[in-house]
Amino acid sequence: MEKLLVVLDASAISNSACMLKLFRTVIQGYTGKINNNDIEFGSAFHKFRKVYRDKGEEGLALGIKAAKEYFLNTPMYVKSNKKYLTMTFLMRICLEYAEKYKKDPFQVIRVNENEPLLELKFSFPYYVDDTMEILMAGTIDELGKHSNGIVCICDAKTTSMWDVQKYFESYQLSCQLRFYKWALHKYIKAYPKSFLADICQDEIGCFIDGIFYKGADGEVIYKRSDVMLY
């Protein structure tokens, strides 16, 4: 008999308070096949961010190209109240973000001074028996370090939430960043001589790199949360 493969990520775990919803979405796959445009807008920005965080000003054009190609070629459902999330608006946010963090005290950590720890995908078995295998999976946007500070997990978010502080406070209770930190600790425990074990010897912090938009003509706020230690 073929094993049941269950993949749990931060989104699935956030639904775990309702076991029926978790079963419907993760086991039975009752999810939409096409995402809303605000979700894909955020994904396109992440394409830009990965390149820009790696290459800086030299990668600005390349990052914008990556975001543009993703946004133009990805099918999506356009919400009636999010029609302003256009290609022009995406380019604006990419350029403003680059200007805002041109001299950023938070720097991405690199392996062997070359490979940046950006968009780190992980997947590992948590439970295995004869009939089922449960995998924990996810993507960490960035692992970096503040000047004279601690190693941090950085998670970038694009959102139309208008209350910035309230949005940040929601992550005090959110499982997402806790899940990423837990996954790092699991990896370090399994591979105590790895490069991650070496750079994460001390406390690991977490914070949100927020992009808050308020409509086509509204101000876009670029702000980061305080570091959360959980």
Side-chain angles (χ1 to χ4, degrees):
M1 183 177 68
E2 186 177 350
K3 279 189 178 184
L4 174 64
L5 179 63
V6 179
V7 180
L8 293 178
D9 58 15
S11 296
I13 292 172
S14 67
N15 292 326
S16 60
C18 177
M19 294 306 294
L20 179 59
K21 184 176 182 180
L22 185 67
F23 179 77
R24 295 294 193 202
T25 56
V26 177
I27 306 299
Q28 296 184 317
Y30 289 167
T31 56
K33 302 304 179 184
I34 298 179
N35 289 323
N36 294 328
N37 64 321
D38 53 350
I39 293 176
E40 299 300 1
F41 184 89
S43 296
F45 173 78
H46 275 74
K47 296 289 184 182
F48 161 79
R49 187 183 184 280
K50 180 182 179 181
V51 177
Y52 183 75
R53 293 293 296 169
D54 178 19
K55 302 182 182 301
E57 290 298 301
E58 294 180 0
L60 181 59
L62 188 62
I64 289 177
K65 180 182 178 183
K68 181 179 179 179
E69 288 179 350
Y70 181 90
F71 196 69
L72 288 176
N73 297 320
T74 302
M76 64 188 77
Y77 171 76
V78 179
K79 290 182 175 180
S80 60
N81 63 336
K82 297 291 176 64
K83 290 181 179 180
Y84 62 89
L85 296 180
T86 62
M87 178 59 63
T88 301
F89 194 70
L90 176 61
M91 298 302 100
R92 171 192 166 185
I93 282 184
C94 291
L95 290 170
E96 289 181 355
Y97 183 90
E99 181 63 28
K100 170 73 174 181
Y101 295 112
K102 185 182 295 184
K103 297 180 180 179
D104 195 349
F106 182 73
Q107 293 293 311
V108 62
I109 294 172
R110 297 178 183 272
V111 180
N112 299 323
E113 300 183 356
N114 183 32
E115 186 71 23
L117 299 184
L118 295 164
E119 299 293 324
L120 303 175
K121 298 183 183 300
F122 64 86
S123 178
F124 60 88
Y126 183 73
Y127 175 83
V128 179
D129 62 20
D130 293 337
T131 61
M132 173 186 290
E133 184 168 345
I134 299 177
L135 300 181
M136 296 298 186
T139 302
I140 297 174
D141 288 347
E142 180 174 1
L143 198 61
K145 194 174 186 296
H146 288 94
S147 302
N148 301 317
I150 62 174
V151 172
C152 285
I153 295 168
C154 172
D155 194 61
K157 299 291 186 185
T158 58
T159 177
S160 59
M161 284 282 290
W162 62 272
D163 191 328
V164 175
Q165 193 56 40
K166 187 175 181 179
Y167 183 81
F168 286 153
E169 288 173 357
S170 71
Y171 280 90
Q172 294 286 351
L173 298 176
S174 170
C175 67
Q176 183 177 9
L177 293 177
R178 295 172 185 267
F179 176 62
Y180 292 160
K181 183 173 179 176
W182 173 80
L184 274 182
H185 281 300
K186 294 291 286 186
Y187 183 93
I188 292 168
K189 185 176 180 179
Y191 302 98
K193 295 184 180 180
S194 66
F195 71 93
L196 280 179
D198 184 49
I199 64 177
C200 297
Q201 295 181 30
D202 300 317
E203 180 64 86
I204 302 172
C206 305
F207 70 90
I208 298 296
D209 186 6
I211 296 90
F212 301 86
Y213 49 77
K214 302 178 181 179
D217 301 319
E219 177 190 11
V220 179
I221 298 174
Y222 304 86
K223 189 173 181 179
R224 291 171 175 170
S225 71
D226 293 335
V227 173
M228 293 169 275
L229 297 179
Y230 297 125

